[in-house]
Amino acid sequence: MKITSLGVATLLVARGAAQALYAASYAGSVYSLSLGRSNGTLELSTSSQSKECGTSPSWLMLDGTNNILYCLNEAIGASNGSITSFNTHGNGSLDVVNTLTVPAGPVMSAMYSVPGVHGHEFFAVAHYETSTVTTYSVDPTRGHFQLLQTFTYDMSAPGPNASRQDSPHPHGVTVDPTGRFVLVPDLGADLVRIFHINQVTGYLEPIDPYVAAPGSGPRHGTFWTPKGSRGADQNVYFYLVHELSNLLNGFRVSYSERGIHFSKFFEESSFGNRTAPNGSKVAEIAISPENNHILVSNRLDNTFGPNNDSLAVFSCADASGRFASEPRFLGLYPAYGSSVRGFDISGHLGLVALALEKSQRVAVAQWNKATGRPGKLLAEAQFYGNIPAVAWAL
């Protein structure tokens, strides 16, 4: 029997598992949100709130296997940031496990593991404000972590967009499908910094970066591979969004013994064949759970009215999961608020959660698995402070 989004919410409540989402607020809080049903509609409510992440929580990374939530504190205006790990519980409560002071400006992280180190994992962090990339060794079952490496960068002169490219600004972190490379888009330097992962130690080894178009401002990236081919080095594609130019690029990926190589085959605006509205800028990119669409969030474009921005959808594979020769822009869909900084799709629930930064809200909309596109608004919750990140707990 097909279960609707409302049906899923009913099952969650019936099983006592209504805890659904985590959200970060720049006002200094991490919220646990419950998803339930009231008078036939979905409803978001706060089940717990923690102020232990720091002054400016900016990114949430959930290890669902071990029930550990990692929170980055961007620490806007401060000299140092921090990273905190929490034990998560079914009732939404969060217990601090470990907190570490780090360079200011951490904005994104990603986990990785290596075959040569058993019982430990690693994660890398991009620090926007301090032009830094850091790495950490993690005891995944306990949530304890320690600093391993620090890479700090500089520039001889500002980039073409001097106000945004005054210095290097690492903004994203993604791990390639083979688990051998970490990529860090650097908005300030117009580079994608590339690190080879030492498969014995877990340490990152810098190699030659990918050089992006001047003034484009690469922000976040994601990899696509055919279903079932995780870890293979064939049929790998990389998609990169540029905040300053509002462009989506696609690359064919090839490998050498210690290198990863990119051949660009696609470029299009995040607004399709339209000119990007003045002041708009892309934020997040993701591959749909069905593995056949690319989603990109547009901020401050007001496509669907004042303070109602958009999600762009591109096809990237056919219904059987085979690679499409070139992504195809399918249209813009409402984000139900202003500045959708991040989003997270739950394929099994058929829902997409949206972090509406400037609206200071979290919204939950339908996710249409058949079409790979977001649907109507189902629930939303208002908070104090801008909301940069949201993550499903389910």
Side-chain angles (χ1 to χ4, degrees):
M1 180 177 68
K2 182 178 180 180
I3 299 175
T4 66
S5 296
L6 293 181
V8 170
T10 302
L11 288 176
L12 289 172
V13 174
R15 294 175 182 174
Q19 169 58 30
L21 288 165
Y22 300 107
S25 166
Y26 271 149
S29 292
V30 177
Y31 295 95
S32 299
L33 306 179
S34 295
L35 182 66
R37 192 176 71 162
S38 176
N39 298 321
T41 62
L42 285 183
E43 184 177 83
L44 277 177
S45 59
T46 299
S47 53
S48 75
Q49 177 182 359
S50 173
K51 291 186 173 293
E52 300 299 321
C53 180
T55 57
S56 313
S58 57
W59 180 259
L60 301 173
M61 181 174 67
L62 179 64
D63 178 355
T65 300
N66 295 295
N67 299 315
I68 304 291
L69 180 69
Y70 298 87
C71 178
L72 308 186
N73 168 33
E74 191 173 350
I76 297 171
S79 56
N80 292 105
S82 61
I83 304 174
T84 300
S85 58
F86 297 89
N87 279 318
T88 66
H89 303 282
N91 64 1
S93 61
L94 300 172
D95 297 330
V96 174
V97 175
N98 191 191
T99 297
L100 191 65
T101 299
V102 300
V107 290
M108 191 177 184
S109 60
M111 301 284 294
Y112 63 95
S113 58
V114 297
V117 180
H118 299 286
H120 268 72
E121 294 185 359
F122 305 86
F123 63 86
V125 177
H127 300 254
Y128 180 92
E129 188 61 33
T130 47
S131 308
T132 299
V133 176
T134 56
T135 68
Y136 304 83
S137 174
V138 186
D139 178 341
T141 59
R142 299 174 61 208
H144 286 271
F145 57 96
Q146 60 183 4
L147 177 68
L148 281 186
Q149 297 171 282
T150 301
F151 303 91
T152 302
Y153 302 96
D154 57 23
M155 290 164 53
S156 59
N161 188 329
S163 64
R164 297 295 311 279
Q165 297 183 307
D166 56 323
S167 62
H169 289 305
H171 208 308
V173 183
T174 187
V175 181
D176 89 301
T178 71
R180 294 163 49 205
F181 299 93
V182 169
L183 276 63
V184 178
D186 188 326
L187 184 150
D190 287 323
L191 298 173
V192 177
R193 300 188 185 277
I194 305 174
F195 303 86
H196 176 259
I197 303 171
N198 186 302
Q199 298 294 290
V200 176
T201 66
Y203 279 68
L204 298 189
E205 302 164 349
I207 59 177
D208 290 342
Y210 171 79
V211 180
S216 61
R219 179 183 171 95
H220 286 180
T222 189
F223 284 90
W224 182 93
T225 59
K227 281 189 175 180
S229 65
R230 187 71 182 176
D233 61 3
Q234 302 295 316
N235 298 314
V236 178
Y237 296 84
F238 179 61
Y239 293 100
L240 176 68
V241 287
H242 301 265
E243 179 174 331
L244 303 183
S245 64
N246 287 95
L247 290 176
L248 168 66
N249 284 165
F251 302 87
R252 293 182 178 89
V253 179
S254 60
Y255 293 89
S256 56
E257 183 177 354
R258 287 175 54 84
I260 182 171
H261 313 284
F262 302 92
S263 175
K264 186 167 70 173
F265 73 99
F266 176 79
E267 180 171 285
E268 190 166 354
S269 166
S270 61
F271 294 88
N273 58 9
R274 291 174 46 199
T275 300
N278 289 335
S280 66
K281 48 188 178 179
V282 301
E284 191 58 273
I285 181 173
I287 302 294
S288 68
E290 298 75 34
N291 205 44
N292 55 4
H293 291 89
I294 306 164
L295 276 80
V296 174
S297 60
N298 291 312
R299 295 176 291 169
L300 306 177
D301 58 298
N302 299 304
T303 293
F304 294 94
N307 300 316
N308 192 354
D309 296 334
S310 67
L311 293 170
V313 179
F314 296 79
S315 64
C316 64
D318 62 22
S320 65
R322 293 175 299 186
F323 173 73
S325 60
E326 186 171 292
R328 182 167 59 90
F329 178 71
L330 299 179
L332 299 174
Y333 298 83
Y336 302 109
S338 178
S339 192
V340 55
R341 171 78 172 264
F343 59 88
D344 193 13
I345 305 168
S346 173
H348 73 281
L349 289 180
L351 301 172
V352 55
L354 306 160
L356 301 171
E357 182 179 16
K358 299 299 184 183
S359 293
Q360 302 185 347
R361 294 202 313 273
V362 171
V364 173
Q366 286 181 331
W367 175 254
N368 189 318
K369 299 180 183 181
T371 65
R373 307 176 198 190
K376 69 178 182 179
L377 179 67
L378 298 174
E380 57 186 342
Q382 189 76 42
F383 298 95
Y384 176 68
N386 292 351
I387 304 296
V390 65
W392 285 106
L394 303 168

